[in-house]
Amino acid sequence: MTNGRGADGISAAGPADGHGTAGEGGAADREAVRVDRVMDGLRAFGANYTEFTRRFATWLGLHSTDAAALVEILYAEDQGAPLSPARLSERVSLSSGATAILLKRLEQAGHIVRTRESTDRRVVTLRSSPDIRPRAMAFFGPYSERMAEAMAAYPPEEIEGFEQFLGTLRSTMDALLAGEYANGGPTPTAS
């Protein structure tokens, strides 16, 4: 799909296994297959991360959207940049009204607190409650340890290159979402 291949993995140039003819399309085909494998790996990683969040929700007895919001709040705190309700709304793709209802549920469950830390007292900051952080660490601890072990197998310069690659993909996606997909999707072409 990413390279114009059909569901069977075959393009006009030949099979997607990279072992087609060595003619002029051979190197391009191998590169297209490599890109497809990378994109498939990223898609699978994203799906697995979504499944981790779903299982975290089940583990806490939360709706998956509430758990995803809680993960975003915890992550932002860990990065030293706690979220406002408006920023959380953007991160979990909910309207401000739906986010307000979600935050009320998380607050009533004792998972988050709203604070006013800014000199502008109108600004609300979202923080995890003292009770939820140890539970989140217990759940995500094995995940964090295994990911750190997996990345430790690569030299720092490869990790740096991968960081740059992911940064480029992220900025590309951000530009697409703000541009062609700002209104839900690209403008359909006339047939």
Side-chain angles (χ1 to χ4, degrees), residues 100-177:
I101 294 167
L102 176 149
L103 290 173
K104 185 175 181 181
R105 284 194 306 265
L106 289 176
E107 200 169 35
Q108 288 175 340
H111 297 320
I112 66 157
V113 293
R114 299 180 217 210
T115 63
R116 297 191 186 277
E117 302 168 13
S118 172
T119 55
D120 180 349
R121 303 301 292 165
R122 295 172 294 176
V123 176
V124 173
T125 302
L126 303 173
R127 296 274 182 187
S128 60
S129 71
D131 294 338
I132 197 64
R133 183 156 290 278
R135 294 174 73 191
M137 289 173 67
F139 184 88
F140 285 106
Y143 169 86
S144 296
E145 289 170 15
R146 291 278 184 89
M147 290 295 139
E149 287 171 12
M151 286 191 280
Y154 294 88
E157 56 275 3
E158 279 191 47
I159 296 295
E160 185 178 328
F162 192 60
E163 278 181 294
Q164 291 171 355
F165 171 70
L166 289 176
T168 299
L169 290 182
R170 182 176 181 177
S171 62
T172 301
M173 288 291 284
D174 288 345
L176 280 165
L177 291 170

Side-chain angles (χ1 to χ4, degrees), residues 26-48:
D29 282 349
R30 284 189 297 279
E31 186 58 27
V33 168
R34 182 178 297 120
V35 168
D36 278 348
R37 284 194 313 255
V38 169
M39 294 304 291
D40 186 57
L42 290 168
R43 184 211 51 77
F45 181 84
N48 283 345

